[in-house]
Amino acid sequence: MIAQSCKTCSERRAGKAMGSLDQTDGSRRRPPSMQDVARHAGVSAQTVSRVANGMSNVEELTRERVLTSMRAVGYRPNGAARALKYGRFHTVGVIMFTLETLGNVRTLDAIATEAAAADYSVTLMPVPDPTLGAVSGAYRRLSEQSVDGVIIIFEASLLDRVEITLPPGLPVVVIDSNAGSGYAVVDTDQAQGARMATEHLLSLGHRQVWHIAGPTTSFSAGHRAESWRATLQRAGITPPPIVHGDWSTESGHRAMLKLVGERDLTAVFAANDQMALGAMKALHELGRLIPTDVSVVGFDDMDESRAFWPPLTTVRQNFREVGRVAMARLLAQIEAPDAAPQTTLIPTELMVRASTGPAPTLPGRPTATPAG
């Protein structure tokens, strides 16, 4: 009887607390308030505020009781109100041109993971065209949606060839684009990766390295092509004409069909693994052996690269580290808005597999001596 009576009393008190939420006309209920939670949990409104804002100076048992009461009365902390009070929305915006590339998807995944670990949510804002106007418009829309900062994943070079210029007010980190000196930049060391790929082929005795590049609008493709060209020139080799693809397997296949008539075709560096796969497909179809006749190197180290036949030698990009560092740089800017922006390059790694080998002896030419 005593236990039943206590239970009845508790239910009556809870019902009284809930009943106080009714409007005077009885037709609508107002949203539960912090005071309602405090009455239900038997604590002060200040304690409820501390729990709602994630503060640590609350005993664990009290915190659990407050959280239980929040669920019981249906109270949800007002994020906008907290932001006005503490200057934080705990949301970051991400502007992206496309989700079709491997690098963008993995980078976004790392950003979301790091954001969640820091108790931030992510608002994604895709842009249809790789132009400065599209980026500025997306930035403006995000600033209206109450975010604390913005990450721009924009691997395409801005078509109007000018540096990014955005209205002041929000911290910004740019990934893989020509942002200029006014913004923090995080990127893969594109030049290092292309240099390692080209030097690897030269070290195997190849006298020439052909290049299947990415789109002319791509910032990363441009940097890889520049590094490939410079590496050949340092070795005293005149770079051959570039054949451009669009990152797809089909474009790599078409590019290789254009190159197969070149007499000195013994080595190819493709700007990504998918185009390398297309190039290898064309070589197989034409009866060219890999790497006996032609060596092939890619860029990215996508998971499937080890399953190509033969397994693909490629440059590994650490997309997860790019996303992690970008989010860390953004959070640092949010905490210290006046800090000077910096550029961070994430190192690459050459993964040597069976698609590359010593240069073949071409008719009328002596066997090349591997460099080094």
Side-chain angles (χ1 to χ4, degrees):
M1 287 296 294
I2 295 177
Q4 180 64 37
S5 298
C6 290
K7 180 179 179 181
T8 302
C9 292
S10 298
E11 290 173 346
R12 287 174 178 171
R13 285 196 297 269
K16 184 178 181 180
M18 292 297 290
S20 65
L21 305 184
D22 293 337
Q23 296 280 7
T24 53
D25 61 2
S27 60
R28 298 181 61 188
R29 291 165 57 87
R30 65 171 176 81
S33 69
M34 197 173 291
Q35 287 72 24
D36 298 321
V37 177
R39 283 194 295 270
H40 189 277
V43 299
S44 67
Q46 184 179 25
T47 298
V48 176
S49 176
R50 288 171 180 164
V51 174
N53 289 292
M55 296 181 179
S56 59
N57 56 341
V58 181
E59 292 184 0
E60 192 58 34
L61 289 177
T62 301
R63 183 186 306 278
E64 289 299 324
R65 188 163 76 251
V66 170
L67 291 174
T68 298
S69 294
M70 284 182 178
R71 290 189 290 269
V73 304
Y75 174 77
R76 296 181 62 186
N78 189 325
R82 290 205 311 272
L84 290 173
K85 183 176 181 180
Y86 297 101
R88 295 286 187 276
F89 293 97
H90 276 257
T91 300
V92 298
V94 176
I95 299 173
M96 296 183 70
F97 171 53
T98 179
L99 279 169
E100 293 183 356
T101 63
L102 171 73
N104 282 2
V105 171
R106 288 189 175 178
T107 302
L108 178 61
D109 180 66
I111 290 171
T113 299
E114 291 298 312
D119 196 27
Y120 275 72
S121 58
V122 174
T123 298
L124 180 62
M125 183 69 68
V127 295
D129 302 302
T131 62
L132 178 62
V135 174
S136 298
Y139 176 90
R140 184 177 60 255
R141 292 193 297 276
L142 279 173
S143 65
E144 293 170 353
Q145 293 183 22
S146 304
V147 299
D148 296 313
V150 176
I151 295 176
I152 302 175
I153 307 176
F154 210 62
E155 73 91 25
S157 294
L158 298 180
L159 298 185
D160 43 10
R161 304 296 179 184
V162 298
E163 294 180 353
I164 294 174
T165 304
L166 300 174
L170 286 177
V172 174
V173 173
V174 180
I175 294 176
D176 202 13
S177 190
N178 50 337
S181 58
Y183 302 96
V185 175
V186 179
D187 191 18
T188 294
D189 194 336
Q190 310 286 348
Q192 177 200 41
R195 184 180 69 249
M196 289 192 300
T198 307
E199 288 177 346
H200 170 65
L201 291 168
L202 295 178
S203 74
L204 293 170
H206 296 276
R207 299 292 184 89
Q208 185 59 277
V209 178
W210 291 79
H211 185 43
I212 301 175
T216 57
T217 56
S218 169
F219 172 81
S220 57
H223 271 232
R224 293 170 200 177
E226 289 172 10
S227 181
W228 158 83
R229 184 180 294 109
T231 303
L232 289 180
Q233 291 172 338
R234 284 194 299 270
I237 299 172
T238 301
I242 289 177
V243 180
H244 286 279
D246 60 10
W247 299 129
S248 69
T249 301
E250 292 76 12
S251 69
H253 184 270
R254 290 192 300 269
M256 182 55 73
L257 292 179
K258 295 178 181 178
L259 293 176
V260 290
E262 302 295 338
R263 180 178 176 276
D264 58 354
L265 179 69
T266 67
V268 174
F269 164 42
N272 77 335
D273 289 352
Q274 288 173 306
M275 292 193 299
L277 175 60
M280 293 170 71
K281 180 176 184 289
L283 290 171
H284 289 313
E285 291 171 349
L286 295 167
R288 301 288 185 92
L289 300 179
I290 306 170
T292 304
D293 297 326
V294 181
S295 290
V296 179
V297 177
F299 203 108
D300 281 344
D301 194 28
M302 55 192 290
D303 293 339
E304 295 82 3
S305 298
R306 288 167 290 184
F308 291 2
W309 190 253
L312 181 65
T313 295
T314 186
V315 176
R316 173 176 291 174
Q317 294 195 79
N318 194 338
F319 297 114
R320 294 192 179 280
E321 183 66 5
V322 169
R324 187 195 69 78
V325 172
M327 188 64 199
R329 293 284 182 270
L330 186 64
L331 292 176
Q333 283 193 58
I334 291 171
E335 294 299 327
D338 296 329
Q342 58 182 303
T343 296
T344 305
L345 294 180
I346 307 301
T348 54
E349 182 181 1
L350 182 67
M351 310 303 296
V352 179
R353 301 190 180 108
S355 69
T356 53
T361 301
L362 295 178
R365 192 181 80 180
T367 303
T369 301

